[in-house]
Amino acid sequence: MQSDGERRRLPAVITLGIETSCDDTGLGLYDDTRGLLGHVLASQVEIHARHGGVVPELASRDHVRKVLPLLDELFRTTGVRAKDLSGIAVTAGPGLVGALMVGVLTARGLGWAWGLPVVGIHHMEAHLLAPLLFDDENLQPPFVALLVSGGHTLLVRVNALGRYVPLGESVDDAAGEAFDKVAKLLGLGYPGGPAIAATARMGEAGRFRFSRPMTRQPGLDFSFSGLKTQVRDMLAGRRIDEQLRADVARAFEEAVVETLVIKSQRAMTATGLRDLIVAGGVGANRRLRSSLTEAAAAGGWRVGYPPVEFCTDNGAMVAFAGHLRLLDPEPHNEALVPRPRWELRELSSIRGVGSSTS
Ligand code: KG4
Ligand code: ZN
């Protein structure tokens, strides 16, 4: 056990993470030995809610307003100072170009001013690694990841950290996007996922049933846009009252959840792997979490999630992904620019961490 004096003499390995890819400004600090030191988040929900979805220009402007005050707050609440940092990680893509630009330019400016390395992080990799930040069972690749956010629905085989093989993805809307669009049809607020989940709790089971898209055919791809059409047709000509809203929300949530569970089970069988991790905003959905836990128990595999607050966008996951990438002995000399479109499979492996199987 080290004394405080000895600990203070050790060089700090603390990574600052910055997330501004969509409508949340998030910052986090990850320490090599102590883990997550703290994180701060400013949600733009109120700004976008009145427009029924994210307005990119408003998102960028709000990130500009919030990012540095949030950094001050993070330093104040954790006691960490700029001179304690060893590197900066920032979400470089995919996402809204103007929003990404704010984070990337902030990180580059701070890196230059403080003489620190800056690494660009893939937003979905940060989501994917988030469960490991809270993992007490020391989960190691290979495993399967179900990534379900507002922009992506993906099943990925993780061979090693940084080595991601897509197994299936949505051919149209992402699961979160479907939640958001159906919430709009039902006159519920933005973001739609939490609104539908809350309303669905009052819904009657079995009054409506929507299809489980693409589950009758083989394969691991998803399609959610047809569900939105089914909901629209179902609502046509009806008076939308509280009960109808709740019953439709429930049937819709069940359809999405069951589809995700069927495909996840299929991915576990196809790969023969034992661990599934779930990440991304829709991973906060309680029905999805309990259904996957049941499927895992029945199927003889294990499922892990980050705590609910770390399923949706946050700076902690970026700090953690950045910490792993900055440990990589390979130099990080790629030009750091926003990459609104960026495929997971384009990433390099994170050397020196996790299994080396490819
Ligand atoms: O990962 P995330 O915060 O941002 C993106 O990277 O897209 O995911 C946001 C998405 C939104 O579509 C939101 O409606 C959905 O996650 N979401 C949920 C829940 N909480 C957030 N969907 C279903 N149930 C929830 N509880
Ligand atoms: Zn996200």
Side-chain angles (χ1 to χ4, degrees):
M1 180 100 179
Q2 292 156 349
S3 72
D4 278 356
E6 283 170 326
R7 201 175 290 140
R8 237 174 289 171
R9 281 199 299 278
L10 290 173
V13 181
I14 301 180
T15 307
L16 167 68
I18 303 176
E19 158 63 43
T20 66
S21 67
C22 188
D23 59 347
D24 290 296
T25 322
L27 287 89
L29 288 169
Y30 185 83
D31 177 296
D32 194 27
T33 48
R34 290 175 292 167
L36 184 65
L37 300 180
H39 84 116
V40 283
L41 188 74
S43 159
Q44 301 179 355
V45 161
E46 281 179 22
I47 295 173
H48 302 294
R50 71 185 84 118
H51 303 282
V54 179
V55 182
E57 180 58 25
L58 297 181
S60 321
R61 287 192 219 171
D62 200 58
H63 288 309
V64 171
R65 269 193 294 271
K66 302 274 172 59
V67 68
L68 291 178
L70 280 174
L71 179 60
D72 286 341
E73 185 187 333
L74 185 62
F75 279 167
R76 208 174 46 248
T77 51
T78 57
V80 172
R81 285 162 297 177
K83 69 173 182 48
D84 302 325
L85 299 179
S86 50
I88 301 175
V90 59
T91 301
L96 304 169
V97 67
L100 292 167
M101 184 83 77
V102 179
V104 165
L105 293 182
T106 304
R108 279 173 47 174
L110 295 176
W112 179 80
W114 295 338
L116 293 172
V118 182
V119 64
I121 296 298
H122 190 292
H123 182 78
M124 296 314 290
E125 177 175 60
H127 272 304
L128 191 156
L129 297 175
L132 307 192
L133 180 52
F134 304 95
D135 169 45
D136 346 320
E137 290 175 27
N138 199 17
L139 175 67
Q140 292 291 328
F143 54 81
V144 177
L146 172 68
L147 301 178
V148 272
S149 73
H152 295 83
T153 302
L154 281 169
L155 272 164
V156 179
R157 182 188 162 109
V158 178
N159 282 333
L161 297 188
R163 305 294 309 165
Y164 309 121
V165 181
L167 301 170
E169 64 189 308
S170 178
V171 297
D172 43 51
D173 293 353
E177 192 177 355
F179 270 97
D180 294 336
K181 288 179 174 171
V182 166
K184 213 168 179 176
L185 290 175
L186 290 173
L188 296 167
Y190 166 84
I196 290 200
T199 310
R201 254 174 250 136
M202 274 97 71
E204 187 190 313
R207 178 168 170 211
F208 299 113
R209 183 182 162 87
F210 301 113
S211 66
R212 277 60 174 149
M214 294 180 82
T215 53
R216 294 229 179 111
Q217 63 214 73
L220 295 168
D221 284 339
F222 303 90
S223 163
F224 291 108
S225 75
L227 275 180
K228 174 194 62 198
T229 315
Q230 288 177 39
V231 171
R232 189 189 298 133
D233 293 348
M234 171 81 70
L235 295 175
R238 291 184 196 244
R239 200 177 65 80
I240 305 181
D241 60 16
E242 284 290 292
Q243 196 57 49
L244 180 73
R245 206 176 262 138
D247 296 344
V248 171
R250 175 159 184 164
F252 168 77
E253 185 182 48
E254 282 175 356
V256 175
V257 165
E258 203 179 310
T259 304
L260 292 171
V261 172
I262 291 171
K263 296 282 173 157
S264 299
Q265 171 63 61
R266 209 178 269 180
M268 298 315 287
T269 308
T271 58
L273 296 177
R274 290 218 44 217
D275 290 292
L276 175 78
I277 60 152
V278 184
V282 183
N285 186 280
R286 295 193 184 278
R287 185 181 297 277
L288 176 64
R289 291 164 87 105
S290 60
S291 302
L292 277 174
T293 302
E294 272 174 34
W301 38 275
R302 297 182 297 193
V303 58
Y305 325 84
V308 167
E309 77 171 294
F310 295 101
C311 281
T312 44
D313 293 350
N314 64 85
M317 67 182 192
V318 180
F320 180 60
H323 162 74
L324 296 177
R325 288 218 166 257
L326 286 163
L327 284 181
D328 187 335
E330 288 293 305
H332 303 277
N333 47 13
E334 276 176 38
L336 179 54
V337 289
R339 299 182 66 174
R341 288 179 178 275
W342 188 5
E343 297 288 329
L344 260 182
R345 72 188 95 197
E346 292 172 47
L347 293 178
S348 59
S349 61
I350 307 180
R351 275 160 287 256
V353 193
S355 144
S356 58
T357 355
S358 62

